[in-house]
Amino acid sequence: MSKKLFALVLSLCMVMTMLLAGCTSQNGDTSKPPEESKAGGESAAPAESTAPTADGAVYYLNFKPEQDQDWKDLAAAYTAETGVPVTVVTAASGQYETTLMAEMGKSEAPTLFQVNGPVGLNNWKDYCYDLTGSKVLGELTSEDFALKSGDEVAGIGYVIETYGLIVNTKLLEKAGYTTADIQSFADLKKVADDIQARKDELGVKGAFTSAGMDGSSDWRFKTHLANLPIYFEYQADGIGSTEAIKGDFLDNYRQIWDLYITDGTCAGADLSAKTGDDAVAEFVNGEAVFYQNGTWAYGDVKSLGDDSLAMIPLYVGAGDEAKQGLCTGTENYWCVNKNADEADIQATLDFLYWCVTSDEGTSSMASDMGFVIPFKSAKESENLFVKQDAELTAAGKTPVSWNFTTMPSEEWKNGVGSALTAYAADPTDGNWEAVKTAFVDGWATEYQLANG
């Protein structure tokens, strides 16, 4: 071979080598740790495409059954755009912790899961990838939504939600009232008692939907309703958590629970078998005027029309009721499994960033899921109850914070739930003492077990 020909071949080989090196660089070297998560500081404005650069796959163990299909649809859209596989598995209502424990023991464990706050984090902090400096963390509107474990960011709050009493305003008006007539517990009891007394005349089965204590529904009362006596005790004592709840506002808890029992669609003895679906059906079918639930339930009831719906505060006869707003907060924190493959960690971080910055992701979370998300690219939710919460806050009402994230354990909730169910079947003073024991003594016991 001539020297000129040899030089030409050598040059071509060098060019091909450079081209191949460039392709490898663009496709990413998956043997390296995920650099994105340590990228520090505020993220730049998202480009037209937020498609990932990582290989790998995502497995999201979803906490919210009501958004199961929405997450699966969003995952499918992401896969269609990027080619990255995203699997969504949704735990049954009330079974998330049990499901998470089972799934984390598998070889193909979730890469993305959630905890409900500091107490839940205690169980899973050793599995949480440090999100410090990640692009998705940089999209938060406030560091208050970053859940920390020491100096590390273990989780990110991804949705702000609200609950209270959902009202069928048309039925309320048929009974001769409007939501303006209900500004306190005394007002609520007066209206509910009147509706219950006239239920046959009004064509309803009760003022309130059944307060079901089946596992698909009991969280509304052993957790969400139980937040109220905790909130008012914390407010009175100027604290944000405690190792020993005193139960100073349990009489208020009892009187709202009594109202649900006496003015509901069924006898208290039947509540143990009543489900969340029963409550939804009763409300949508016009069999009850009031339904305790949150913004996440809007999709279940919106068929009645926004002009027939409202959400009012959960009054229990405590605090300054004239200034009380809806219960607003979060118990939904995304955590990335640090034990996953590095490529899967990166794929999960990319997926989260896309969810909170892309038009498709933010639109789905706002419109399909009805979420208010604490990220810079968030879209306004079309959820009526979200809008009403904002209106009440703008009018000077004080939102009731979510303090149930400080409840010491799931076992504590179950103890309170069992006692509430027994009391509903036989509402005696003795059975209420059992509720108080589960609430107060159970708290101290479970706190010590959890914290040593």
Side-chain angles (χ1 to χ4, degrees):
M1 181 182 294
S2 69
K3 291 183 178 179
K4 289 184 178 180
L5 180 57
F6 177 78
L8 177 60
V9 171
L10 182 60
S11 297
L12 288 173
C13 289
M14 292 176 66
V15 170
M16 290 300 297
T17 301
M18 292 173 67
L19 287 173
L20 287 171
C23 290
T24 301
S25 176
Q26 289 170 17
N27 289 334
D29 181 357
T30 57
S31 67
K32 295 180 180 179
E35 298 295 332
E36 180 272 358
S37 64
K38 302 298 180 183
E42 294 290 323
S43 65
E48 291 184 7
S49 173
T50 53
T53 58
D55 295 324
V58 181
Y59 169 12
Y60 179 26
L61 184 61
N62 173 39
F63 172 78
K64 301 173 75 58
E66 61 273 17
Q67 269 82 42
D68 174 61
Q69 192 57 52
D70 295 327
W71 276 115
K72 287 177 177 175
D73 291 344
L74 190 58
Y78 183 75
T79 299
E81 179 180 327
T82 66
V84 176
V86 179
T87 300
V88 176
V89 173
T90 300
S93 180
Q95 297 299 312
Y96 190 81
E97 195 75 7
T98 302
T99 304
L100 181 58
M101 290 177 67
E103 292 299 296
M104 280 299 196
K106 297 179 179 178
S107 58
E108 298 295 330
T111 65
L112 178 62
F113 63 100
Q114 87 171 54
V115 298
N116 70 345
V119 173
L121 180 61
N122 280 340
N123 294 331
W124 296 103
K125 60 186 177 182
D126 292 339
Y127 290 81
C128 295
Y129 184 81
D130 183 7
L131 297 165
T132 301
S134 63
K135 289 199 297 181
V136 65
L137 180 67
E139 290 299 314
L140 280 177
T141 56
S142 169
E143 63 180 17
D144 291 342
F145 298 108
L147 182 63
K148 291 194 172 184
S149 176
D151 293 330
E152 297 185 352
V153 177
I156 293 176
Y158 68 90
V159 56
I160 305 165
E161 297 178 300
T162 296
Y163 67 91
L165 276 180
I166 301 174
V167 184
N168 184 323
T169 56
K170 293 292 177 64
L171 286 180
L172 185 63
E173 289 166 6
K174 184 178 180 181
Y177 304 98
T178 69
T179 55
D181 296 315
I182 305 173
Q183 302 293 323
S184 65
F185 175 78
D187 292 341
L188 178 63
K189 179 172 171 53
K190 174 185 174 182
V191 172
D193 285 349
D194 184 43
I195 290 171
Q196 194 72 15
R198 298 162 52 209
K199 64 181 182 179
D200 292 337
E201 168 198 336
L202 297 170
V204 298
K205 291 185 177 180
F208 296 92
T209 58
S210 52
M213 295 304 288
D214 167 87
S216 65
S217 173
D218 64 348
W219 50 269
R220 294 189 290 138
F221 313 106
K222 69 183 184 183
T223 303
H224 284 184
L225 190 62
N227 182 70
L228 276 298
I230 298 170
Y231 167 79
F232 286 113
E233 182 171 320
Y234 285 4
Q235 289 289 302
D237 293 349
I239 60 176
S241 64
T242 184
E243 62 184 43
I245 200 79
K246 295 182 296 184
D248 291 346
F249 292 86
L250 288 181
D251 287 345
N252 303 89
Y253 189 36
R254 182 181 187 177
Q255 66 181 6
I256 185 68
W257 185 238
D258 281 343
L259 199 58
Y260 286 177
I261 296 169
T262 59
D263 291 358
T265 57
C266 68
D270 296 333
L271 292 181
S272 62
K274 286 292 184 179
T275 68
D277 288 342
D278 290 330
V280 172
E282 291 162 8
F283 189 78
V284 171
N285 293 334
E287 297 173 358
V289 180
F290 303 106
Y291 169 41
Q292 185 196 305
N293 220 328
T295 49
W296 54 87
Y298 176 64
D300 294 332
V301 302
K302 67 180 181 179
S303 60
L304 292 175
D306 284 2
D307 60 343
S308 298
L309 294 169
M311 185 182 286
I312 63 173
L314 267 174
Y315 297 115
V316 297
D320 187 352
E321 293 183 299
K323 294 183 179 179
Q324 183 179 330
L326 301 172
C327 302
T328 300
T330 186
E331 63 165 345
N332 302 280
Y333 293 88
W334 277 329
C335 301
V336 175
N337 183 0
K338 74 177 184 183
N339 298 321
D341 290 342
E342 291 171 351
D344 294 343
I345 290 175
Q346 186 63 62
T348 302
L349 293 169
D350 288 338
F351 174 64
L352 292 181
Y353 183 70
W354 180 86
C355 285
V356 303
T357 59
S358 70
D359 183 70
E360 188 152 11
T362 53
S363 294
S364 175
M365 294 178 80
S367 299
D368 300 333
M369 303 183 199
F371 288 172
V372 174
I373 61 173
F375 299 97
K376 297 170 185 175
S377 299
K379 288 183 171 58
E380 183 177 353
S381 174
E382 298 173 4
N383 188 311
L384 172 68
F385 304 140
V386 168
K387 295 176 181 178
Q388 292 182 337
D389 176 48
E391 291 168 1
L392 287 172
T393 303
K397 304 289 187 179
T398 302
V400 172
S401 60
W402 285 20
N403 300 111
F404 56 80
T405 56
T406 67
M407 290 174 177
S409 69
E410 193 66 27
E411 187 58 33
W412 178 86
K413 297 177 189 178
N414 291 338
V416 172
S418 294
L420 282 177
T421 305
Y423 175 80
D426 184 19
T428 63
D429 288 344
N431 281 339
W432 187 255
E433 284 301 313
V435 175
K436 292 169 69 173
T437 297
F439 207 103
V440 176
D441 296 348
W443 186 294
T445 298
E446 288 300 311
Y447 185 94
Q448 289 302 315
L449 286 173
N451 295 278

